[in-house]
Amino acid sequence: LFVKANRYPSAVRSLLSVLFKAWSSRSQWDLVFVNVSQRGLALLFPLLALLSALLGKKWAMRAFGADALEVLENTPWKRLLKWCVKRSVLVGMETHALVQDFSGYTQQTYWIPNVRDEVSDAFSVKKTYQRRFVFIAHVKRSKGIFDALRAFELLGAEYTLDFYGPIAEEACRKLETHPSYKGVLDPVDVPEVLTRYDGLVLPTFYQGEGYPGIVIEAYQAGLFCVATQWRSLPEIVEEG
């Protein structure tokens, strides 16, 4: 069963629409595969698992990000959530660390990392190092934007940092007028924009950070990545 949970702007309407579609099409599916982030893991997944159990059907789950264990341990209905996890035919986790953590609940835990579509080899071209760096993410404190800007102030004028992304919190609203802020990118434009730079900067300490898609896209474009040793980032960003 495939359902689109973000059809409506309201989270409640989205949840109800998913449950309604699952129930109304129950004769057409034998397994529901739930792809969820933090809120979906706590709410949508157990509801669909319970519905599947009621109908005598199977369920599987894939969680995005790095905070699935915190959700599992801190949700008020964690006993129910653990029951749903243990009886899943498959549990997919984004990082190796989470695979190890969830293997204690079920041996049907597998590594399903974040991925990106393959891009043209033309994006991986050799170029002269010009000390040009880029930050592409939600512009908020937990993504490290203020740390990045301060670091490049200390480096001096030889190094430049441009940053892109939606302003995600009020504390960052003043950055809209910063000379290095280049606005919001359409996802299809990201690969081409990355080729203008030498390296990606991501000093994140965002709690739900798993494998950031922008790091994968930067590698595809031939960039190196400067990032914090945070959560599971060391799994994909090697020292040196």
Side-chain angles (χ1 to χ4, degrees):
L1 170 68
F2 173 80
V3 288
K4 188 175 181 180
N6 59 349
R7 181 179 176 184
Y8 301 104
S10 164
V12 174
R13 291 187 67 187
S14 293
L15 180 64
L16 292 175
S17 71
V18 169
L19 293 174
F20 175 77
K21 182 172 183 179
W23 174 259
S24 60
S25 64
R26 60 191 181 276
S27 63
Q28 303 172 26
W29 56 273
D30 298 306
L31 180 145
V32 59
F33 195 111
V34 191
N35 292 271
V36 288
S37 56
Q38 180 178 7
R39 184 168 59 184
L41 177 59
L43 294 174
L44 179 60
F45 169 59
L47 288 174
L48 283 174
L50 287 175
L51 177 61
S52 299
L54 177 66
L55 296 172
K57 298 177 184 287
K58 298 177 181 180
W59 62 90
M61 178 269 289
R62 178 190 181 189
F64 298 101
D67 53 358
L69 185 63
E70 286 90 338
V71 173
L72 186 68
E73 294 294 344
N74 297 320
T75 300
W77 45 90
K78 64 180 181 181
R79 291 182 63 184
L80 170 62
L81 191 53
K82 290 180 180 180
W83 180 87
C84 296
V85 168
K86 290 177 180 179
R87 284 159 179 77
S88 296
V89 297
L90 178 146
V91 171
M93 289 292 145
E94 185 171 314
T95 71
H96 290 299
L98 280 174
V99 170
Q100 184 174 355
D101 291 335
F102 273 75
S103 293
Y105 295 101
T106 172
Q107 293 302 307
Q108 303 305 314
T109 304
Y110 299 91
W111 182 52
I112 307 180
N114 196 357
V115 296
R116 286 294 186 269
D117 291 335
E118 187 176 357
V119 297
S120 169
D121 291 338
F123 291 127
S124 299
V125 296
K126 291 184 178 180
K127 52 191 176 184
T128 304
Y129 178 57
Q130 297 179 314
R131 301 182 179 90
R132 298 195 65 195
F133 292 81
V134 65
F135 171 104
I136 302 177
H138 282 84
V139 179
K140 56 184 179 181
R141 286 186 181 276
S142 62
K143 286 288 188 176
I145 183 59
F146 290 110
D147 298 297
L149 291 172
R150 178 57 180 158
F152 276 80
E153 287 178 5
L154 297 173
L155 284 171
E158 290 184 351
Y159 294 82
T160 62
L161 174 70
D162 292 336
F163 63 102
Y164 301 78
I167 304 296
E169 58 189 18
E170 197 60 35
C172 296
R173 190 65 57 190
K174 59 184 179 181
L175 294 178
E176 286 182 317
T177 58
H178 194 285
S180 295
Y181 180 56
K182 304 303 179 182
V184 181
L185 285 173
D186 188 304
V188 300
D189 295 328
V190 172
E192 189 279 325
V193 169
L194 283 168
T195 62
R196 306 172 192 172
Y197 299 93
D198 300 300
L200 175 76
V201 175
L202 191 66
T204 179
F205 49 95
Y206 172 59
Q207 190 64 27
E209 204 75 81
Y211 292 169
I214 191 59
V215 173
I216 300 169
E217 290 174 294
Y219 288 159
Q220 288 179 318
L223 278 66
F224 59 86
C225 181
V226 181
T228 41
Q229 290 187 328
W230 176 253
R231 305 291 297 219
S232 292
L233 268 172
E235 292 184 13
I236 58 171
V237 181
E238 296 181 355
E239 180 70 25

